[in-house]
Amino acid sequence: MPAMVVLPSCRPLARRVLFDKVHAILCNRITGEDDEYLVQWKTSAPTQTPPLSWHSVFELQRCLELVQDYLEERATLLRAAPPLNSLSKKRKSPDSEPNFERQSSPSKQNFQASCRIPSTERSPSVSSVSLPTSTNRNRLTVTSAAAVVDVYNGVLDSENGFIVARSESSPDIPRMRLQDIPTPEMAQAARRAKTTNAETLVRAAYLRRLSRVPGKKIHLVNTVDSSTPSLRYRYIPEYVLREGVFRVSLEAQEGCDKCSPHMGRDIGCEYTKKCRCLEYAAVDVSRCDDDQMKLHRRIEETGEGTTEERLSLPKRFPYYAEGTKRARAGCLVPFYLNSRHAIYECNDNCKCGPTCRNKNVQFGRVVELEIFKTASGRGWGLRCRQKLYEGQFVDTYRGEIITDEEATRREAAASSRDKASYLYSLDKFQESEQLPDEEIYVVDGEFMGGPSKFMNHSCEPNCRQYTVSYNKHDPKVYDLAFFACRDIPAGEELTFDYLDKEEADDIVEVSEGAIPCLCGAEKCRKWLWT
């Protein structure tokens, strides 16, 4: 399905339901030319008879996240259900029924079970519904087969121009228990009903969100099915710090004070011994003389050394500068590309100016990306619409920064739900700074972040993740940046190794919790570890 979305025109403006009062979407049907969805409304106390009402998808445009949740659940259940033409004309005995895993939602159980019941059989809960002959608040449509009710257990009302439902009980209001939904008739109608309008509106809403993401355009392509990435995912331009997380303020960052925009080749920082931002950058030992090696060993062993002593050791700027013959400007030099050294960039408090050669990742993504549905069963993937050069910056991994305690809680919850984990520990400097585990922050990109969330794993990746810091005195918060580790043709899927190479090399046997790897690389390790 292409990313272009054509919305239905020539349709009257419908009033919208009030999103804050909606609990869930339970079922769908076609009435005339409209695809409608059964809304379960929120109540002040738990009940088996909350207000329920059918609404056109156009009335649910403020609730598309819930509509999408239902569509995904529906697609999963339909894949597990037998085809319509294979349904028996007789009810099967309990002994002949397949064993279905217990579901948390009654609607899931009923939908799956009802798919095995022919539409000619009536549900007791439906036959016991008392239908009024007329009402001012409940619109009823009567068909030749059965009565189609629009509102159960309540009445529709208006609040600030939005549609709401409130509980009400009287003899002329149809009653329906939550545990009986969907009825066999509802489930059969849902299986036959098209959901094209809902899928189109969900896709359009997601594209609007992509259009607001800073940087070059992000495209969305799906030629595999009609699904769309979750509308619950929030795109953010930078980290969101949660409770218990603290970082050095931007105003307190220490910058280089001996550099200027016009030194050397007018490219900002030019001399590593002047740029104080490189104080803790990796030492290029291949260029050290004997005295420098002695100094380097002393600093490494004791952790003590003045700024001047550290800067006196040979360092390298991380990126090629303008006019470089070997590679494009801004790409990582081999010293960093082929290692796991932390990258230290200059910051806004530096005197080297806004176009310094040592500023790159902090300006954000500058390449045009495409989120696409993979045909190999690996979900969504990411690729670039332009050629990427070896060492070129792609994007950062963003999300919520949470404490180790909160990460442990979320990880346990994710495991109990059999969900993928998007947690990345900011532990690059744990050993050098002697930080205990409980002080390590964690980035969670499950609910918010950037397009890099959709990068899949490969045992032979074309991208690699690096540590990028703008404040040498803040070892607990830094960026996780993706760079191309080789030239990448336009349209090739972007991947990285979910395990650090050092960690992968230590794996000698399959451990408990391992899951199969689907990367398809020639040297695939066959397993992923959680």
Side-chain angles (χ1 to χ4, degrees):
M1 182 175 178
M4 183 178 70
V5 175
V6 179
L7 294 177
S9 59
C10 304
R11 177 171 182 87
L13 183 64
R15 285 200 306 166
R16 311 290 173 82
V17 303
L18 188 58
F19 170 74
D20 292 343
K21 299 297 180 68
V22 175
H23 177 73
I25 307 296
L26 302 181
C27 200
N28 70 299
R29 71 185 186 190
I30 293 290
T31 301
E33 296 182 355
D34 284 341
D35 46 336
E36 298 183 335
Y37 294 81
L38 183 59
V39 170
Q40 176 187 344
W41 296 85
K42 292 179 180 179
T43 55
S44 57
T47 175
Q48 273 296 307
T49 55
L52 306 167
S53 56
W54 289 95
H55 295 274
S56 161
V57 68
F58 296 95
E59 295 176 336
L60 299 172
Q61 291 194 56
R62 294 174 62 89
C63 309
L64 290 178
E65 292 180 359
L66 296 176
V67 173
Q68 187 182 37
D69 290 344
Y70 168 75
L71 292 177
E72 292 176 353
E73 178 182 300
R74 175 181 180 272
T76 300
L77 295 176
L78 287 180
R79 284 194 295 270
L84 281 171
N85 57 12
S86 70
L87 292 175
S88 171
K89 298 300 180 181
K90 297 182 180 179
R91 186 187 300 271
K92 298 178 182 179
S93 68
D95 292 339
S96 64
E97 293 288 346
N99 293 322
F100 289 97
E101 182 180 356
R102 184 178 300 275
Q103 303 285 347
S104 60
S105 168
S107 64
K108 290 183 181 179
Q109 299 174 38
N110 293 341
F111 191 102
Q112 202 163 32
S114 298
C115 286
R116 305 192 299 274
I117 301 175
S119 59
T120 55
E121 298 187 73
R122 296 296 306 276
S123 164
S125 60
V126 174
S127 61
S128 63
V129 172
S130 175
L131 302 179
T133 57
S134 64
T135 177
N136 294 327
R137 289 176 293 195
N138 293 325
R139 176 173 61 84
L140 299 177
T141 304
V142 180
T143 67
S144 58
V148 181
V149 185
D150 286 318
V151 186
Y152 305 95
N153 311 329
V155 295
L156 294 182
D157 208 339
S158 177
E159 183 177 314
N160 298 323
F162 292 100
I163 302 171
V164 296
R166 54 186 175 83
S167 298
E168 190 164 310
S169 178
S170 68
D172 65 340
I173 294 179
R175 306 291 290 176
M176 178 70 73
R177 294 182 305 168
L178 193 59
Q179 66 189 56
D180 296 326
I181 294 174
T183 65
E185 287 85 351
M186 287 181 182
Q188 292 288 359
R191 292 195 69 188
R192 293 183 171 92
K194 294 183 178 180
T195 57
T196 306
N197 284 338
E199 293 162 356
T200 300
L201 292 173
V202 168
R203 176 66 60 87
Y206 196 88
L207 289 175
R208 286 194 297 270
R209 297 187 183 185
L210 283 182
S211 68
R212 296 192 290 267
V213 177
K216 289 290 186 70
K217 185 175 181 179
I218 303 174
H219 303 263
L220 178 65
V221 173
N222 185 353
T223 59
V224 176
D225 54 33
S226 58
S227 64
T228 298
S230 175
L231 288 172
R232 297 185 180 278
Y233 187 66
R234 174 185 163 196
Y235 284 93
I236 54 175
E238 57 187 19
Y239 286 139
V240 173
L241 274 59
R242 294 308 188 191
E243 182 179 359
V245 175
F246 305 95
R247 68 182 307 176
V248 178
S249 67
L250 298 179
E251 293 77 12
Q253 286 181 343
E254 180 181 328
C256 52
D257 54 7
K258 295 182 179 180
C259 301
S260 73
H262 306 297
M263 64 170 57
R265 293 170 290 173
D266 290 335
I267 55 174
C269 294
E270 183 72 52
Y271 309 110
T272 60
K273 294 184 178 181
K274 285 189 175 182
C275 183
R276 301 174 75 88
C277 295
L278 298 183
E279 178 178 356
Y280 298 112
V283 175
D284 186 355
V285 294
S286 66
R287 297 162 54 201
C288 287
D289 58 29
D290 291 341
D291 290 337
Q292 289 173 328
M293 282 302 300
K294 291 179 181 179
L295 175 60
H296 174 54
R297 292 193 188 98
R298 177 173 65 80
I299 294 176
E300 286 284 293
E301 293 171 359
T302 65
E304 299 177 354
T306 65
T307 298
E308 285 67 27
E309 285 178 325
R310 295 179 188 276
L311 290 177
S312 69
L313 298 174
K315 307 287 180 68
R316 288 185 183 270
F317 286 110
Y319 310 114
Y320 285 108
E322 291 286 350
T324 302
K325 296 180 180 179
R326 292 182 56 193
R328 292 170 59 90
C331 292
L332 281 177
V333 300
F335 181 77
Y336 287 93
L337 181 67
N338 301 324
S339 71
R340 305 311 296 268
H341 297 318
I343 298 168
Y344 290 90
E345 288 193 3
C346 293
N347 57 64
D348 290 340
N349 290 338
C350 294
K351 293 186 177 181
C352 51
T355 60
C356 174
R357 55 97 58 89
N358 197 36
K359 293 180 179 179
N360 188 0
V361 172
Q362 59 194 272
F363 294 140
R365 177 180 53 83
V366 294
V367 295
E368 201 168 346
L369 298 179
E370 182 177 276
I371 301 168
F372 72 103
K373 191 65 173 287
T374 66
S376 57
R378 292 177 298 118
W380 297 94
L382 191 70
R383 56 195 177 200
C384 188
R385 288 202 166 189
Q386 66 190 65
K387 177 181 178 180
L388 292 172
Y389 293 89
E390 183 181 65
Q392 187 170 354
F393 169 60
V394 180
D395 202 358
T396 58
Y397 187 85
R398 298 183 290 281
E400 305 168 85
I401 299 187
I402 56 179
T403 62
D404 177 73
E405 180 182 5
E406 173 63 12
T408 300
R409 186 193 67 79
R410 294 189 185 188
E411 197 165 33
S415 298
S416 65
R417 299 192 305 268
D418 193 26
K419 293 181 63 178
S421 174
Y422 296 91
L423 302 173
Y424 287 83
S425 293
L426 297 177
D427 57 0
K428 179 68 174 180
F429 305 106
Q430 180 176 12
E431 183 177 351
S432 62
E433 299 296 321
Q434 298 181 344
L435 298 172
D437 290 344
E438 59 270 18
E439 290 188 16
I440 299 301
Y441 296 150
V442 179
V443 180
D444 187 355
E446 179 179 1
F447 306 107
M448 56 184 68
S452 58
K453 173 190 177 180
F454 299 101
M455 290 180 66
N456 283 316
H457 163 82
S458 175
C459 297
E460 295 182 278
N462 53 22
C463 294
R464 190 174 296 151
Q465 193 179 76
Y466 296 84
T467 293
V468 180
S469 175
Y470 317 126
N471 186 349
K472 62 182 182 181
H473 294 309
D474 191 351
K476 298 176 69 174
V477 178
Y478 49 83
D479 273 358
L480 302 171
F482 292 102
F483 289 82
C485 55
R486 62 169 171 81
D487 289 350
I488 305 174
E492 180 180 313
E493 181 177 359
L494 304 179
T495 59
F496 74 105
D497 194 333
Y498 284 3
L499 298 175
D500 285 338
K501 188 176 186 301
E502 297 90 342
E503 183 179 355
D505 288 344
D506 291 339
I507 296 172
V508 294
E509 61 182 12
V510 178
S511 60
E512 183 179 357
I515 58 177
C517 177
L518 303 176
C519 75
E522 183 178 347
K523 297 181 180 179
C524 177
R525 294 190 296 267
K526 308 302 181 184
W527 297 93
L528 283 176
W529 283 259
T530 57

